[in-house]
Amino acid sequence: MPVDNFPLPNRSLDALANRLEASENYRVLRRLRPSVLSDRPEGRGLRTGLFVDLETTGLDPQQDEIIEIGMVPFIYRIDGILLETLPAFSRMREPSIPVPSLVQDLTGLTPEHLAGQTVSADEVAAFASDASLVIAHNATFDRPFLERFCPAFINRPWACSMKDVPWDQAGFEGRKLGHLGLQAGFFFDGHRAVDDCHAAIALLGHTGFPESRSALSLLLERARTVWKRLWAEYAPFELKDILKARGYRWNDGSDGRPKAWFVDRPPEEVEDEILFLRTEIYQREIDITVRPVEAGDRFTSRI
C-alpha cells in the first residue's frame, strides 16, 4: 500500500530529512516557516528594519499601480545580527487600470480578488513609522512605487538585499529571491508580497560569508556608505542597450535634472565606471557629472 496512505508525524519527517542531509547524495529543501514575535523586544543597540515588497500592474511607477503591499518588520542588532520578525502588514488594492493577464498568472491576483480592496497612504505610513531602515529585494523597483503612493517613504534610508549583499562571496549563484532561497535550503510561495518579505529576511540572517559575517551586516555596511551617481549626458543613442544592461536608468529631463542616463555606484567603483564611460560609450576623454547619494536618496530618481 502506498506510503502516502500513512501520513507521518512531523517529527518522523524531520528525522528522515536529517538522514538524507547526512548523505552527500541528497539535499533537502524545507518549507520556510517564519518565527514571529508578538511584541517588539526592548534593549540597547536594537533597531527595527522594515522589509517591503509590492505586486503591481506593471513596471512603470508613473503609470502602473500597486495591487498588493506587504511589509514585515524585523528586529536586528546594530552589528548586523538578525533577531526576530514582527507581525506583518498585508493589504491588497483594486487599481484604476486593468491588471494584465501576465501579472494575474504570476501573482494569482485576479480582478475578483482585488475588487473593492483598498489601503490608504496613512495606514502604510503609520505601520512604517518605527523603521530605522527600509529594505526591498529590488529597491530600484519598489521605492519609486512606494514614494508615489505614500510620501512618508521619501525621506527614509533604503537598502537593497539584491544589490547590497555580495551573495557570490557565500557561494550563491544569481540574485533572484526564489533561486537564493533554494540554494539556502528552503522554499516558499513566491510572488505574494508578505511571503517574499519573509524569504528575504531569512536570507539576511545567512552567516556563510567571510569571517562568519551575516548578509544583514554586509547590507548595513553598504547602506551606510555614501554612494555616487554618475550621469552619462549626451551618450550616443545607439549605445543605450549597453547602458541599460549595465544598470543605467533614463531620466527624461522633465524634473529639472539632466536628460540623460544615470547609475549609482559605491565610491570604490566610481573610477572604473568613469573609465567605462570614457572608453566604451564616449570613446574620448570627457568630464563625467558625479553627485553624492546619501542613504535617504538611494534607489530613487528624485536627485
Side-chain angles (χ1 to χ4, degrees):
M1 186 173 293
V3 174
D4 288 348
N5 289 346
F6 295 96
L8 295 173
N10 287 338
R11 185 175 301 176
S12 298
L13 292 174
D14 286 340
L16 289 174
N18 292 335
R19 289 182 63 187
L20 288 172
E21 287 180 325
S23 168
E24 64 181 16
N25 297 318
Y26 296 92
R27 298 183 64 187
V28 177
L29 294 176
R30 301 171 186 265
R31 177 178 290 280
L32 180 64
R33 300 190 184 281
S35 174
V36 180
L37 295 173
S38 57
D39 298 301
R40 186 191 188 283
E42 299 297 331
R44 296 182 61 185
L46 297 184
R47 298 289 186 272
T48 301
L50 184 69
F51 211 100
V52 301
D53 187 75
L54 308 175
E55 302 299 341
T56 67
T57 59
L59 303 178
D60 186 350
Q62 299 304 316
Q63 299 182 24
D64 289 300
E65 297 183 27
I66 296 170
I67 57 176
E68 185 179 30
I69 298 177
M71 299 187 290
V72 178
F74 63 94
I75 307 302
Y76 66 94
R77 294 191 338 214
I78 57 176
D79 61 357
I81 299 300
L82 180 68
L83 300 181
E84 298 281 355
T85 60
L86 297 171
F89 179 102
S90 178
R91 296 288 291 275
M92 292 186 288
R93 176 180 177 272
E94 182 178 15
S96 62
I97 60 177
V99 180
S101 58
L102 178 62
V103 173
Q104 294 183 45
D105 293 341
L106 186 66
T107 64
L109 297 174
T110 65
E112 291 73 25
H113 288 110
L114 301 173
Q117 299 290 329
T118 62
V119 58
S120 73
D122 288 343
E123 292 176 89
V124 174
F127 189 86
S129 61
D130 291 335
S132 299
L133 180 67
V134 181
I135 308 174
H137 193 65
N138 184 2
T140 301
F141 171 81
D142 292 276
R143 180 167 189 172
F145 274 99
L146 263 182
E147 285 185 341
R148 184 183 178 203
F149 180 78
C150 179
F153 283 91
I154 289 177
N155 296 318
R156 297 277 178 166
W158 281 71
C160 180
S161 59
M162 182 171 67
K163 297 179 181 177
D164 287 342
V165 179
W167 293 107
D168 59 318
Q169 292 184 15
F172 289 90
E173 296 179 357
R175 290 173 179 261
K176 287 188 175 182
L177 187 59
H179 192 197
L180 292 172
L182 292 176
Q183 293 175 85
F186 67 82
F187 67 95
F188 62 100
D189 298 324
H191 297 297
R192 291 301 303 271
V194 166
D195 293 328
D196 286 356
C197 289
H198 278 299
I201 292 170
L203 286 164
L204 289 178
H206 186 75
T207 56
F209 293 85
E211 301 177 0
S212 298
R213 294 186 63 181
S214 69
L216 179 59
S217 72
L218 293 166
L219 177 143
L220 292 174
E221 181 180 274
R222 182 53 61 93
R224 293 163 182 155
T225 302
V226 177
W227 284 43
K228 304 293 183 179
R229 177 162 295 178
L230 296 88
W231 290 91
E233 300 180 76
Y234 307 108
F237 177 79
E238 62 271 17
L239 300 181
K240 64 181 176 63
D241 289 338
I242 296 177
L243 290 168
K244 289 173 65 176
R246 197 172 173 90
Y248 281 74
R249 291 178 283 161
W250 173 253
N251 184 66
D252 63 10
S254 61
D255 55 7
R257 298 174 309 125
K259 184 179 181 179
W261 294 93
F262 68 93
V263 73
D264 294 345
R265 292 285 186 256
E268 68 272 14
E269 296 179 12
V270 169
E271 290 303 318
D272 286 343
E273 197 63 32
I274 291 175
L275 180 63
F276 159 78
L277 289 172
R278 288 173 174 169
T279 57
E280 301 295 330
I281 302 301
Y282 298 102
Q283 299 182 16
R284 62 187 173 90
E285 287 294 315
I286 185 173
D287 291 334
I288 305 298
T289 300
V290 181
R291 297 284 186 267
V293 182
E294 303 286 350
D297 295 320
R298 295 183 64 206
F299 311 110
T300 181
S301 58
R302 290 180 290 99
I303 62 171

